[in-house]
Amino acid sequence: MDTDTRTTRYPALPIPADALARLRVSDDAGLTRTPHTATDGGDPLRCCLRPSLPGERIALVTYAPLRRWAAATGAEPGAYDEQGPVFVHADSCEGPAPSTGHPFARPGALRVLRRYDAGGRIVGGRLLELPDAADEALDDAFADAFADPAVALVHVRAVEYGCFQFEVRRPAP
């Protein structure tokens, strides 16, 4: 993660605890996953927004982040309802520790930032190779996204595997 100690203007949201509880039983593809022990560590955990540590029990589950948001807001994402693989702790965890930066912001990583409107439809996107000042670049990309009044939230995904990384919602006025 970027070593910049300033506070980000756009906080990253982990997978909500109630969704995690359900995903650990049956994921969004309707499958039961078998937890395993992280050997090397480094898997991006979406429950606490940090890399796994060697020896932690983790699971790779299918997650549909837009579907969960739409259920809470009444949106109808239709064909934009993507699902994909994410790592989570196999058992409940304490969630993210306070942070001053964005999770998984490794310089050189390729990220796609998908913009969604209040109806759950894609209204734009941006490909971003994270520079050394990754937190600043992400904040600038979020500012650009939310300059469009139609954008309600942004999903950050890893380009290499398409994995959902985290969500940022429009800041309150």
Side-chain angles (χ1 to χ4, degrees), residues 22-23 25-33 60-63 68:
R22 288 189 296 273
L23 290 170
V25 174
S26 177
D27 69 13
D28 285 345
L31 303 172
T32 302
R33 301 297 181 170
L60 183 62
V61 300
T62 302
Y63 179 55
R68 302 286 182 158

Side-chain angles (χ1 to χ4, degrees), residues 16 18-19 22 28 63-78 80-82 117-121 153 155 167 169:
D18 61 331
R22 288 189 296 273
D28 285 345
Y63 179 55
L66 195 60
R67 180 181 311 166
R68 302 286 182 158
W69 173 82
T73 64
E76 295 286 338
Y80 297 112
D81 181 31
E82 296 180 78
D117 68 12
R121 293 172 300 277
L153 72 153
H155 284 178
E167 175 179 296
R169 294 188 182 173

